[in-house]
Structure formats: structure tokens, C-alpha cells
């Protein structure tokens, strides 16, 4: 390998004899295996010539022993986006599809699975990922019936890599070309066959503790879940027949969540969570099942809450992440918001886990390591998408009651959400669909310090000395006017904009600071924090 002249390698591949090609293609694969850019091909049309040469041998059925090498070389070259759209033609895709076994229906035949098949699928994945043109090619989209047919016909004899890259091709196509989603789901019923794969996996592992689950099995399940996410991403408006399909899927997800896996537990849970974010609201009920026997540890109102416990543990784990906050927090919080909105028993149980009856009233809501504390910290996050998601979850757990939200989070933490929803000062509180039944009784600790709890910070606060104590009326008036003048100056200079709460419960600017005086009686926060309201 040390004696290889790289300047001569590519020209020899392009114009050498077949024997030289066979020798040099092996060298090329070893040398370029990890490369993603090929600047040396940018001159004198070397890139185009090399692609053409590889396809020439790929269509030479006299020397089929080099087909997998040609496909492997094309796979490596396809990592580089340079001129990729110009290099790929319909004929080229047809050749790749033919080698991938995606040009005919199996019809009882054994699925052909060779190294050529796998290399072709890997090449398709690269092309789909790097080329918008390939994503929209009709010749590729027309291969979907053959791909779904192969997925439908999977047996244990089909190699793992074929299943893996079949799924990745399907994932990339449905992710990057949204028009294919309806074709796969509606025209080809592809989602039904995908659900069958994970259903069979769940059935094989249910109540079978002796069976060893292989990592590659879980990998396939994860890939299937990713494709289902693409297919169901906009699926809230569904018919009665589809409801049964979704409910069956949720039951399978319940089983997947409650199994223990030797490997890839986090990956599987993550993909289940992602899929839960796109399940229609009317179909979440099977995520909790009637408790059976004494083995079930997480029981609430005679229902097995094991899957919900897994989701809460997953949330707790994700809340420890310090980077990529949106990617880590958003899916699980979105899933929980949808779950607690859809099922009353889930809301009540999750509320007990996140917002249990208040005992610690000496610390601010955002202080500590509890789920409540971690979520309250995010209420003041500068990442608005994340802040709003967390606020929505906590607000729903509080049955969308402003006073209850203030009790558990503090007015200061929740003020941003109240402003956005037009609920500042307790105004704009509409009737909700929640029951009036109390889900919490005030603890002795809370009752003891209730009158000394500052609703703004959400915890006990020592009485503070009166700053006006010892002042004459003239001194008080002087300090008040001084403050008014300072605020007025800041306002005129555009540093601050004083606001009052408008009739819609949202902040509105005032022209002069003295306008705030008329609003004082209306803006006093009234304490109505009993959970028995």
C-alpha cells in the first residue's frame, strides 16, 4: 500500500485494462474508505469519467464478480455532493435499483440478498441524502411497491443489513420527499407491514425472559419507528378504521416501553417518544392498561402506569442534558403534553409525580433536583420554544388554573406564559373542560406558612422591614416623586416601556407613568390557590 502512486490510481481505474481495474479498485476502496471529499477529481472531468467507468463495469454481466466493488466505490464517491445531480441519471438509478433487487415483486420467491444487494442499498441511501434530484426521481419513487413488497415478505433468513438499509432508504425517501408518505401509507399500506414488524418483535419478547434480544433486532425496530414517525407526522384527523390501527400501535408502544433490554434501551425509548408525539389525541388510551397480578409496581387507580413511569424517567434523564436542549427536551415534553391532555388518568398520575402536594415551601420552585424544580427552571429559559412547551405541560397539570399554577411555580416563573395567554392578573381565565374534583389537599406545611408565602417567588419569605418606617409624610412624598421622575426619564429615553395589564390580560404600554396609578387596585394579585376549587 505504501508504494501506491495516488496520482496514477484514478487514471488507471478509468483507462486501464480490466485486470488493472480489478487490482486498482481494491486499492481505491482501502485508500478512500473514510474519505468524504475528493478534490483531486475536480479537474479534467475525472469525476465524470470515473463514475462512467464504474457504471460500465456494473453493467458488464460477463464480469459480475466486480459488481460489489463497483457499487462500494460509487458509495464512497457519492458522499461528495460535487456535481452529484449531473452524474446521476434515470438509467443509473435503474441499474442501482436492479442490483438492489427493487425492480420486481417477489411473489413467493426467496428474497435475493447478496453483498451486491447491500452495497446497492447503501449507495441509494447516500444518493438520497445528498441529492434533491434523486429524492424526486420518478424512477426511484416507482420502486416503492417493490420495496414495500420485500418488507412485507421478510423472514428470519433475510440478512440484518438488507432489513436495515431497506428501512433507511424508506426513511430517507419519506423524510425528504413528503409526497411519498401518502403513497407508502395509503396506496401501499406500508404502515401496516411496518407495524407488523414491531408487533411481532413485541410478541416474541412478551413474557419470555429467557430469550436473548439481539442488538440488531432493536436497531431494526428503531428504524421502523423512525419511518412510522414520517408517515404519521400529520395524522390528527383520522377515521374510525384508522383509530383502531393507531390504538393497536399505541398498545405495541406500551409493550416496547415496559420491556427491559440489554442494549440500546435509550435509543428505543427515544424513538418511541418521537412516535408518541404524532399519535392522534383520541388514540392514547392503550398506553395505560388494567393492572394484572401483583407483579405490577406502578399502579394508580387499578391501572398499570409502567409506561408512563418509563416516560417520566426518560424526562428526568433528558433534563440533565446541558447541550442540544431543544432536541433533547422537546420530544418527551411534547409527548407528555399530548398524553396528559388526552387522558384524565394520565394527567392525574403525572401531576402527582411532577407536582405532588406541596411540603417544601422554604425553597423556590426552581431550586432542587425534583422534576418540578428542573421544569420550573426552564420557565425562564431564553429558548422560547422550550419555555412555552414546559409552561404548557405544567399549566395542563394544574388544570389550566392560574392560581394553582402560581402556587406550584411562582408568579414570576409563570408570568411569561400568563402574558402570552392573556392571563396576567388572573384575567381572561376561561372555563376549562377539567373536572372540579379536587386532586390535592393542602399539606400541613403549606397551611402553616400559607400567609407568609410570596406568590411571586413561590415560597416562604421572612417579613421585611417597612422601608418607609421613620419617614415623615413629606419624605415619603419626596421619595415617591423622585421614583416617578426616574421612571419617566427612562421611559422618555426609550430605556423602558412601562405597561399595564389590558382588558385582554396582556401587557399594553402606557403613555405616562402616572397612568399606572389607576391600575393599582386591579393589578393586585389575589390569592386563590386552593386545589379544591
Amino acid at each position: 500500500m505504501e508504494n501506491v502512486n495516488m496520482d496514477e490510481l484514478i487514471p488507471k481505474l478509468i483507462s486501464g485494462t480490466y485486470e488493472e481495474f480489478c487490482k486498482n479498485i481494491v486499492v481505491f476502496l482501502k485508500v478512500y474508505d473514510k474519505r468524504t471529499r475528493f478534490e483531486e477529481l475536480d479537474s479534467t472531468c475525472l469525476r465524470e469519467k470515473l463514475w462512467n467507468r464504474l457504471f460500465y463495469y456494473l453493467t458488464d454481466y460477463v464480469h459480475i464478480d466486480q459488481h460489489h466493488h463497483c457499487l462500494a466505490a460509487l458509495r464512497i464517491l457519492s458522499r461528495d455532493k460535487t456535481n452529484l445531480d449531473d452524474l446521476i441519471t434515470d438509467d443509473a438509478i435503474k441499474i442501482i435499483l436492479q442490483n438492489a433487487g427493487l425492480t420486481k415483486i417477489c411473489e413467493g420467491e426467496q428474497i435475493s440478498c447478496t453483498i451486491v444487494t447491500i452495497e446497492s442499498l447503501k449507495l441509494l441511501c447516500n444518493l438520497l441524502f445528498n441529492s434533491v434530484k434523486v429524492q424526486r426521481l420518478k424512477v426511484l419513487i416507482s420502486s416503492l411497491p417493490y420495496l414495500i413488497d420485500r418488507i412485507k415478505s421478510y423472514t428470519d433468513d433475510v440478512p440484518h443489513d438488507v432489513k436495515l438499509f431497506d428501512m433507511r432508504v424508506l426513511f430517507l425517501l419519506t423524510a425528504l420527499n413528503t409526497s411519498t408518505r401518502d403513497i407508502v401509507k395509503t396506496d401501499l399500506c406500508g404502515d401496516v407491514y411496518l407495524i407488523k414488524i414491531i408487533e411481532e418483535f413485541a410478541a416474541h419478547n412478551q413474557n419470555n425472559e429467557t430469550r436473548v434480544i439481539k442488538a440488531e433486532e432493536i436497531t431494526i425496530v428503531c428504524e421502523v419507528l423512525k419511518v412510522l414517525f414520517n408517515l404519521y407526522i400529520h395524522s390528527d384527523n383520522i377515521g374510525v378504521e384508522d383509530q383502531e390501527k393507531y390504538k393497536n400501535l399505541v398498545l405495541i408502544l406500551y409493550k416496547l416501553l415496559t420491556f427491559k433490554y440489554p442494549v440500546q434501551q435509550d435509543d428505543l425509548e427515544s424513538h418511541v417518544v418521537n412516535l408518541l408525539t404524532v399519535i392522534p389525541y383520541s388514540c392514547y388510551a392503550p398506553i395505560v392498561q388494567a393492572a394484572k397480578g401483583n407483579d405490577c409496581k406502578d399502579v394508580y387507580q387499578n391501572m398499570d402506569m409502567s409506561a408512563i413511569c418509563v416516560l417520566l424517567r426518560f424526562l428526568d434523564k433528558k433534563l440533565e442534558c446541558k447541550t442540544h436542549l431543544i432536541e433533547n427536551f422537546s420530544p418527551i415534553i411534547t409527548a407528555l403534553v399530548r398524553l396528559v391532555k388526552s387522558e384524565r388518568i394520565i394527567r392525574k398520575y403525572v401531576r402527582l409525580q411532577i407536582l405532588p402536594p406541596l411540603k417544601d415551601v422554604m425553597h423556590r420552585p426552581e431550586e432542587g433536583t425534583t422534576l418540578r424544580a428542573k421544569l420550573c427552571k426552564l420557565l425562564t429559559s431564553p429558548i422560547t420554544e422550550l419555555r412555552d412547551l414546559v409552561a404548557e405541560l405544567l399549566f395542563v397539570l394544574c388544570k389550566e388554573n392560574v392560581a394553582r399554577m402560581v402556587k406550584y411555580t411562582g408568579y414570576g416563573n409563570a408570568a411569561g406564559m400568563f402574558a402570552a395567554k392573556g392571563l396576567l392578573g388572573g384575567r381572561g381565565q376561561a372555563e376549562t373542560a377539567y373536572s372540579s374534583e379536587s386532586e390535592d389537599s393542602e399539606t400541613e406545611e403549606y397551611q402553616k406558612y400559607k400567609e407568609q408565602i410570596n406568590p411571586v417567588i413561590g415560597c416562604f419569605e421572612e417579613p421585611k422591614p417597612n422601608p418607609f418606617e421613620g419617614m415623615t409624610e413629606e419624605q415619603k412624598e419626596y421619595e415617591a416623586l423622585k421614583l416617578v421622575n426616574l421612571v419617566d426619564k427612562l421611559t422618555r429615553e426609550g430605556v423602558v416601556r412601562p405597561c399595564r395589564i389590558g382588558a385582554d390580560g396582556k401587557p399594553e404600554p402606557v403613555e405616562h407613568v402616572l397612568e399606572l396609578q389607576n391600575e393599582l387596585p386591579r393589578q393586585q394579585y389575589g390569592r386563590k390557590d386552593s386545589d379544591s376549587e
Side-chain angles (χ1 to χ4, degrees):
M1 188 67 66
E2 291 79 3
N3 298 324
V4 173
N5 187 329
M6 297 307 297
D7 292 333
E8 295 180 1
L9 180 61
I10 302 299
K12 283 183 178 179
L13 279 172
I14 293 171
S15 56
T17 64
Y18 177 72
E19 288 72 21
E20 288 177 315
F21 177 86
C22 294
K23 176 184 174 183
N24 288 310
I25 191 70
V26 175
V27 176
F28 175 89
L29 294 176
K30 289 180 179 177
V31 172
Y32 287 92
D33 184 48
K34 303 299 181 185
R35 291 274 299 275
T36 56
R37 286 280 290 119
F38 308 95
E39 296 87 349
E40 60 269 42
L41 300 179
D42 291 344
S43 60
T44 63
C45 299
L46 280 179
R47 190 185 308 274
E48 183 180 356
K49 290 175 182 176
L50 181 55
W51 275 75
N52 289 339
R53 191 64 168 173
L54 290 168
F55 272 104
Y56 169 78
Y57 283 120
L58 194 54
T59 53
D60 177 3
Y61 292 98
V62 176
H63 303 106
I64 60 173
D65 56 320
Q66 290 301 314
H67 283 191
H68 69 286
H69 283 154
C70 292
L71 288 162
L74 287 166
R75 168 176 56 81
I76 291 170
L77 292 170
S78 64
R79 297 169 185 163
D80 190 338
K81 294 183 180 182
T82 307
N83 297 338
L84 194 56
D85 285 352
D86 298 328
L87 295 166
I88 292 299
T89 63
D90 280 5
D91 287 339
I93 292 295
K94 285 178 183 177
I95 293 167
I96 298 168
L97 289 172
Q98 186 175 359
N99 282 282
L102 296 177
T103 55
K104 63 178 181 177
I105 298 292
C106 294
E107 293 182 352
E109 300 175 23
Q110 187 173 1
I111 298 173
S112 173
C113 305
T114 65
I115 189 171
V116 169
T117 310
I118 295 165
E119 284 294 348
S120 300
L121 290 169
K122 289 180 180 179
L123 172 56
L124 277 176
C125 287
N126 280 2
L127 293 174
L128 278 166
F129 187 75
N130 287 324
S131 170
V132 175
K133 176 185 175 181
V134 172
Q135 295 159 17
R136 310 209 174 280
L137 281 179
K138 290 182 179 179
V139 65
L140 181 57
I141 296 171
S142 66
S143 71
L144 278 171
Y146 311 119
L147 178 56
I148 297 300
D149 178 70
R150 183 155 77 192
I151 290 170
K152 179 178 68 174
S153 307
Y154 279 166
T155 65
D156 292 340
D157 296 328
V158 178
H160 164 73
D161 279 351
V162 171
K163 293 179 181 179
L164 176 63
F165 290 103
D166 274 354
M167 291 302 163
R168 288 189 175 168
V169 167
L170 191 56
F171 169 76
L172 288 167
L173 200 48
T174 53
L176 301 171
N177 183 347
T178 56
S179 67
T180 61
R181 294 172 187 171
D182 275 342
I183 297 173
V184 173
K185 184 171 65 171
T186 307
D187 299 347
L188 302 173
C189 299
D191 58 331
V192 174
Y193 305 124
L194 293 169
I195 291 172
K196 184 181 176 184
I197 291 172
I198 57 174
E199 187 171 26
E200 288 177 352
F201 172 82
H204 288 158
N205 294 288
Q206 193 172 20
N207 302 321
N208 189 354
E209 296 179 1
T210 59
R211 184 176 183 274
V212 178
I213 302 173
K214 299 177 183 177
E216 60 186 32
E217 290 181 88
I218 299 176
T219 300
I220 297 299
V221 170
C222 289
E223 294 296 327
V224 171
L225 294 172
K226 285 163 60 178
V227 179
L228 287 171
F229 174 85
N230 288 347
L231 298 180
Y232 292 155
I233 198 164
H234 299 296
S235 57
D236 269 329
N237 298 319
I238 57 169
V240 176
E241 291 181 5
D242 281 337
Q243 279 199 9
E244 291 307 311
K245 178 174 66 178
Y246 282 102
K247 286 180 179 178
N248 179 51
L249 175 58
V250 172
L251 178 59
I252 297 167
L253 298 183
Y254 158 81
K255 293 175 182 177
L256 292 178
L257 284 173
T258 52
F259 290 156
K260 297 296 180 188
Y261 306 97
V263 289
Q264 292 181 273
Q265 182 97 25
D266 284 353
D267 288 342
L268 185 61
E269 288 175 0
S270 180
H271 291 302
V272 170
V273 166
N274 288 341
L275 187 50
L276 283 171
T277 64
V278 296
I279 297 293
Y281 278 101
S282 58
C283 302
Y284 282 113
I287 200 75
V288 291
Q289 295 287 306
K292 297 176 183 177
N294 298 321
D295 295 336
C296 186
K297 298 177 182 178
D298 305 302
V299 178
Y300 179 71
Q301 295 185 359
N302 298 320
M303 299 298 285
D304 176 11
M305 309 303 288
S306 301
I308 304 301
C309 281
V310 171
L311 294 176
L312 289 171
R313 284 196 294 270
F314 186 83
L315 170 66
D316 198 26
K317 195 185 309 176
K318 288 296 180 183
L319 289 174
E320 295 298 323
C321 296
K322 304 300 180 186
T323 58
H324 307 295
L325 300 187
I326 290 290
E327 294 87 338
N328 280 307
F329 297 173
S330 180
I332 180 59
I333 297 174
T334 300
L336 285 170
V337 167
R338 293 178 69 87
L339 284 163
V340 298
K341 281 185 174 181
S342 67
E343 295 294 327
R344 179 169 173 264
I345 191 170
I346 296 177
R347 175 181 58 78
K348 293 175 72 174
Y349 181 76
V350 171
R351 190 270 175 91
L352 284 174
Q353 307 308 309
I354 294 179
L355 301 176
L358 276 180
K359 290 186 177 181
D360 180 7
V361 295
M362 295 297 168
H363 297 93
R364 293 187 178 218
E366 66 272 21
E367 293 176 348
T369 58
T370 63
L371 276 174
R372 171 191 172 220
K374 292 175 183 178
L375 290 170
C376 283
K377 283 177 191 173
L378 294 172
L379 288 175
T380 52
S381 167
I383 306 172
T384 55
E385 180 185 342
L386 185 57
R387 179 194 68 202
D388 294 346
L389 257 180
V390 172
E392 184 69 12
L393 174 61
L394 294 174
F395 198 44
V396 173
L397 293 180
C398 292
K399 300 206 287 192
E400 299 185 36
N401 180 288
V402 171
R404 195 172 289 125
M405 181 80 169
V406 170
K407 174 182 175 180
Y408 283 97
T409 69
Y411 192 89
N413 287 329
M417 186 205 71
F418 292 153
K421 288 181 175 285
L423 297 172
L424 284 174
R427 303 178 199 179
Q429 180 78 66
E431 290 293 323
T432 63
Y434 303 102
S435 69
S436 58
E437 172 191 345
S438 172
E439 294 172 10
D440 184 21
S441 57
E442 292 175 353
T443 62
E444 291 182 14
E445 293 87 347
Y446 183 78
Q447 284 282 17
K448 181 178 179 181
Y449 296 103
K450 184 175 181 177
E451 297 307 318
Q452 293 169 283
I453 291 175
N454 182 339
V456 174
I457 61 174
C459 69
F460 171 83
E461 189 175 50
E462 292 283 358
K464 295 181 179 178
N466 185 351
F468 295 116
E469 192 173 345
M471 284 189 183
T472 64
E473 291 302 317
E474 289 79 6
Q475 287 174 317
K476 292 177 185 178
E477 185 176 345
Y478 171 78
E479 292 296 335
L481 287 172
K482 184 179 174 183
L483 179 61
V484 168
N485 289 331
L486 284 171
V487 173
D488 188 51
K489 181 183 177 184
L490 290 172
T491 304
R492 282 186 281 104
E493 292 176 355
V495 178
V496 296
R497 291 186 71 193
C499 291
R500 63 183 175 187
I501 302 171
D504 60 357
K506 296 182 179 181
E508 62 179 25
V510 296
E511 295 298 324
H512 193 276
V513 69
L514 289 177
E515 291 181 49
L516 297 175
Q517 186 174 355
N518 300 327
E519 286 289 305
L520 285 176
R522 297 176 62 196
Q523 299 199 30
Q524 297 304 306
Y525 177 78
R527 183 189 298 277
K528 293 180 181 178
D529 55 8
S530 172
D531 285 313
S532 60
E533 286 184 351

